[in-house]
């Protein structure tokens, strides 16, 4: 893999993060604006897929992939990560509700969550790629983990919401710092008569950081079942996460309507786990087939959910 590809994409990522931060400046995000930017990020990902198709040999001169194989792997990985990232939105909404995060600071909190997720995933991709190179049996550990995660998601009770108020990050912050009752804008610490005191925003960021780790543990093994090319794994993750903030504000009022999303994600994770188990056998599932399964499953879940909850649209 050309080092220039990584350096160039790192610069592009920084530019895209800055652009994402700029378009949500001031803390005011309308649904129309968020929808337009959500479309923009999807179009940008598809444009990058075209670049991969046209210039893959220049981007990765040592890769065994053909142009079309690389483009298909990126698109499949991107759609997989995008589908899994939607589950993040449910958790973000729950965290914002439980900790009463003011609407004005939610865009900044989401940005910090996205940046944290990108850093964590970059580390895990590098470690995962090295482990797969050195220890082939790790592939089966990843597969078993995906099947277990899919099973847990199947059994999960959607009515039983997780309580983050007593989670480990909350206990650690409260053990190390005094915490104020009120938010102070974007500040993590303020000074009172007794010295420095943390604001609830520090707790929220700590909780989101933990959820970033948990989601990365699911998504990184999943995309390695699609492709072992670290560059494709990284770029698919970056593009999937970049539009997450805008997508949150588009779907914020509709999240309760996606009643079939969790079962769909459980099926996808289980399918990807099986694909990983079969990768080195004569029954290996081709990437285009995986792409079709992901698209059909998510499409069916969205259409089915909106149809079942159509009465909520007018309520």
């Amino acid at each position: 893999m050309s080092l220039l590809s990584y350096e160039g994409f790192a610069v592009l990522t920084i530019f895209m993060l800055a652009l994402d931060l700029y378009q949500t400046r001031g803390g005011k995000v309308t649904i129309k604006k968020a929808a337009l930017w959500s479309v923009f990020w999807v179009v940008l990902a598809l444009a990058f897929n075209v670049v991969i198709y046209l210039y893959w040999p220049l981007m990765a001169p040592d890769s065994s992939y053909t142009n079309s194989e690389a483009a298909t792997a990126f698109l499949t990985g991107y759609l997989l990560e995008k589908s899994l990232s939607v589950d993040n939105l449910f958790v973000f909404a729950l965290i914002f509700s439980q900790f009463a995060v003011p609407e004005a600071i939610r865009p900044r909190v989401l940005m910090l969550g996205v940046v944290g997720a990108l850093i964590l995933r970059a580390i895990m991709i590098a470690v995962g790629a090295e482990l797969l190179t050195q220890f082939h049996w790790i592939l089966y550990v990843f597969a078993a983990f995906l099947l277990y995660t899919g099973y847990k998601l199947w059994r999960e009770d959607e009515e039983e919401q997780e309580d983050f108020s007593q989670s480990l990050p909350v206990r650690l912050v409260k053990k190390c710092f005094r915490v104020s009752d009120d938010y102070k804008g974007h500040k993590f610490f303020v000074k009172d008569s007794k010295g420095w005191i943390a604001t609830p925003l520090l707790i929220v960021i700590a909780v989101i950081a933990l959820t970033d780790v948990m989601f990365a543990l699911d998504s990184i093994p999943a995309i390695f079942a699609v492709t072992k090319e670290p560059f494709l794994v990284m770029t698919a993750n970056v593009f999937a996460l970049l539009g997450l903030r805008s997508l949150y504000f588009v779907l914020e009022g509709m999240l309760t309507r996606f009643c079939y999303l969790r079962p769909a994600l459980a099926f996808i994770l289980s399918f990807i786990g099986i694909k990983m188990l079969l990768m080195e056998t004569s029954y290996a599932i081709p990437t285009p087939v995986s792409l079709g399964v992901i698209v059909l499953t998510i499409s069916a879940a969205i259409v089915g959910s909106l149809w079942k909850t159509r009465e909520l649209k007018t309520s």
Side-chain angles (χ1 to χ4, degrees):
M1 178 64 64
S2 171
L3 183 60
L4 185 61
S5 298
Y6 284 103
E7 292 174 340
F9 190 75
V11 173
L12 178 62
T13 300
I14 293 172
F15 172 77
M16 291 189 294
L17 283 171
L19 180 63
D20 195 19
L21 183 60
Y22 175 78
Q23 59 95 7
T24 54
R25 66 194 184 282
K28 181 66 175 177
V29 181
T30 64
I31 293 180
K32 180 180 179 181
K33 182 179 179 182
L36 290 174
W37 277 98
S38 295
V39 172
F40 169 80
W41 292 120
V42 172
V43 171
L44 191 63
L46 296 177
F48 186 77
N49 196 38
V50 173
V51 172
I52 289 176
Y53 179 79
L54 295 175
Y55 301 107
W56 179 246
L58 297 177
M59 300 170 72
D62 298 327
S63 175
S64 60
Y65 281 14
T66 64
N67 293 44
S68 60
E69 288 173 339
T72 302
F74 170 82
L75 182 59
T76 305
Y78 169 72
L79 291 177
L80 173 62
E81 294 300 312
K82 197 71 172 177
S83 302
L84 294 174
S85 69
V86 173
D87 201 34
N88 294 39
L89 301 184
F90 287 94
V91 178
F92 287 157
L94 186 58
I95 292 172
F96 289 160
S97 174
Q98 289 186 5
F99 292 97
V101 180
E103 290 187 10
I105 65 175
R106 290 183 182 184
R108 183 63 60 86
V109 173
L110 287 171
M111 170 56 77
L112 293 173
V114 168
V115 171
L118 286 172
I119 294 172
L120 285 168
R121 294 187 186 205
I123 295 171
M124 294 185 69
I125 288 168
V127 172
E130 184 62 25
L131 286 174
L132 286 173
T133 301
Q134 300 294 328
F135 307 103
H136 181 72
W137 52 267
I138 290 292
L139 193 72
Y140 303 106
V141 176
F142 284 174
F145 181 76
L146 289 175
L147 289 171
Y148 173 69
T149 304
Y151 170 76
K152 283 204 309 179
L153 214 52
W154 276 114
R155 297 292 302 272
E156 190 174 82
D157 185 358
E158 293 186 6
E159 299 299 323
E160 184 180 342
Q161 294 187 333
E162 185 175 356
D163 182 10
F164 291 99
S165 61
Q166 297 300 319
S167 61
L168 178 61
V170 177
R171 298 199 306 271
L172 286 176
V173 171
K174 289 185 174 180
K175 184 176 181 180
C176 297
F177 306 101
R178 293 182 300 121
V179 180
S180 66
D181 295 327
D182 303 318
Y183 289 90
K184 304 296 181 182
H186 295 118
K187 295 179 180 178
F188 294 109
F189 295 93
V190 293
K191 210 169 187 180
D192 64 5
S193 59
K194 297 181 181 179
W196 290 100
I197 183 172
T199 70
L201 182 57
L202 182 65
I203 290 179
V204 172
I205 295 300
V207 172
I208 285 181
L210 178 64
T211 60
D212 281 342
V213 173
M214 301 309 296
F215 282 118
L217 289 174
D218 292 343
S219 62
I220 298 305
I223 197 171
F224 272 121
V226 174
T227 176
K228 296 178 185 177
E229 287 280 356
F231 183 73
L232 295 177
V233 173
M234 174 56 72
T235 53
N237 269 274
V238 168
F239 278 105
L241 288 172
L242 274 174
L244 195 59
R245 292 202 316 156
S246 298
L247 189 61
Y248 173 84
F249 293 107
V250 174
L251 301 179
E252 186 176 17
M254 299 175 58
L255 290 175
T256 55
R257 296 188 62 190
F258 294 115
C259 56
Y260 292 133
L261 182 62
R262 291 288 176 86
L265 295 180
F267 172 78
I268 289 174
L269 285 174
S270 301
F271 171 78
I272 294 297
I274 294 172
K275 172 181 170 58
M276 187 171 275
L277 286 174
L278 299 176
M279 283 181 72
E280 304 298 328
T281 72
S282 58
Y283 301 101
I285 301 173
T287 300
V289 173
S290 302
L291 176 60
V293 169
I294 293 170
V295 170
L296 288 174
T297 302
I298 292 299
S299 299
I302 292 174
V303 172
S305 295
L306 294 179
W307 174 258
K308 183 178 180 180
T309 59
R310 60 192 182 280
E311 67 277 1
L312 296 178
K313 186 177 180 180
T314 57
S315 62

